[in-house]
Amino acid sequence: MAVAAVALAGCGSAKTQNPTTAPTVSLWVNSTAKDYRQVAAGAKLALAEAQGHAGVFRINFAGRQVSDDPAAATKDALNNARTSLQDTQASAVVTALGDDAVKPAVFLLNSAGISTVVLGDAALKAQACDAGSDLYPSGHPTAIVVAAGGGVPASFRSSFSARLGFVPDEDAYRAYTGVKSVLASLAAPGVATDNSPPRLNRDALAAQLVRAHGDCATA
């Protein structure tokens, strides 16, 4: 499981690449430097449990940090979003950033149909659940928000600590659940095309992610 073997406390960026005959997509994680270890670890644990696969796809983890300085965070977030746009294999981006940084990034990613999982608050969740939101220049929702406040289940804390050697915080659990949602959506019917080899249908992935995991009835 080479995806799970990526260093948990990496700096700057990290990306796994493994020879495989399965079609490969990338899952990006963007977080402030101070939160990156927890967020990336939660995401990697979800990938490890899935053995780096979802449906027909092999998943590569790609992570980049954003400055903890609010004055630089938005610039970093947009640069990271542009990097994801240049990745023709990009499936989704998990972000753990402040609103000022995350909203422009979601806007940019939406223009290319790339799904986003945001570790945000209730207000941002309500905005993400609005199909007419300014977050979506394409006119189609592509983001879900995993809101805070649910705590960390004891079973997750125990499993995470045993496998990774440190105690998870709520951001780790939110990243974990967000990635699980992406993986389930990647495996849904219609998300892989009928081409040989199959390709990712980004629009179908975003629609499935929002429909099945947006939890908008509670927004």
Side-chain angles (χ1 to χ4, degrees):
M1 295 185 298
V3 170
V6 179
L8 290 172
C11 297
S13 65
K15 187 171 181 178
T16 62
Q17 293 185 343
N18 308 288
T20 175
T21 57
T24 302
V25 296
S26 302
L27 177 69
W28 286 83
V29 171
N30 293 323
S31 173
T32 54
K34 66 181 177 61
D35 295 326
Y36 182 82
R37 185 186 190 216
Q38 290 281 348
V39 173
K44 291 175 188 176
L45 180 57
L47 287 172
E49 290 180 351
Q51 298 186 31
H53 287 82
V56 300
F57 298 109
R58 175 75 176 176
I59 316 298
N60 275 344
F61 175 91
R64 294 179 68 90
Q65 296 183 15
V66 169
S67 174
D68 290 326
D69 180 359
T74 298
K75 180 181 178 181
D76 284 354
L78 286 172
N79 285 339
N80 289 352
R82 292 186 183 102
T83 299
S84 298
L85 291 177
Q86 294 168 2
D87 180 0
T88 58
Q89 298 176 329
S91 62
V93 178
V94 179
T95 69
L97 308 170
D99 281 6
D100 289 344
V102 77
K103 288 180 180 180
V106 171
F107 181 95
L108 188 59
L109 293 165
N110 174 264
S111 67
I114 297 177
S115 300
T116 313
V117 175
V118 181
L119 309 191
D121 57 19
L124 187 57
K125 181 175 181 177
Q127 189 172 0
C129 285
D130 178 4
S133 169
D134 291 343
L135 291 172
Y136 305 133
S138 72
H140 303 289
T142 52
I144 65 170
V145 173
V146 183
V152 180
S155 58
F156 176 79
R157 182 181 294 108
S158 176
S159 173
F160 182 104
S161 300
R163 296 188 68 167
L164 302 178
F166 60 99
V167 177
D169 63 13
E170 189 175 7
D171 281 350
Y173 181 66
R174 292 160 72 199
Y176 171 86
T177 57
V179 171
K180 297 281 275 189
S181 295
V182 172
L183 297 178
S185 298
L186 281 167
V191 173
T193 68
D194 293 330
N195 300 76
S196 182
R199 298 180 179 179
L200 172 65
N201 183 328
R202 283 180 174 171
D203 290 340
L205 172 61
Q208 176 66 22
L209 181 67
V210 171
R211 179 173 59 249
H213 304 282
D215 194 27
C216 289
T218 63

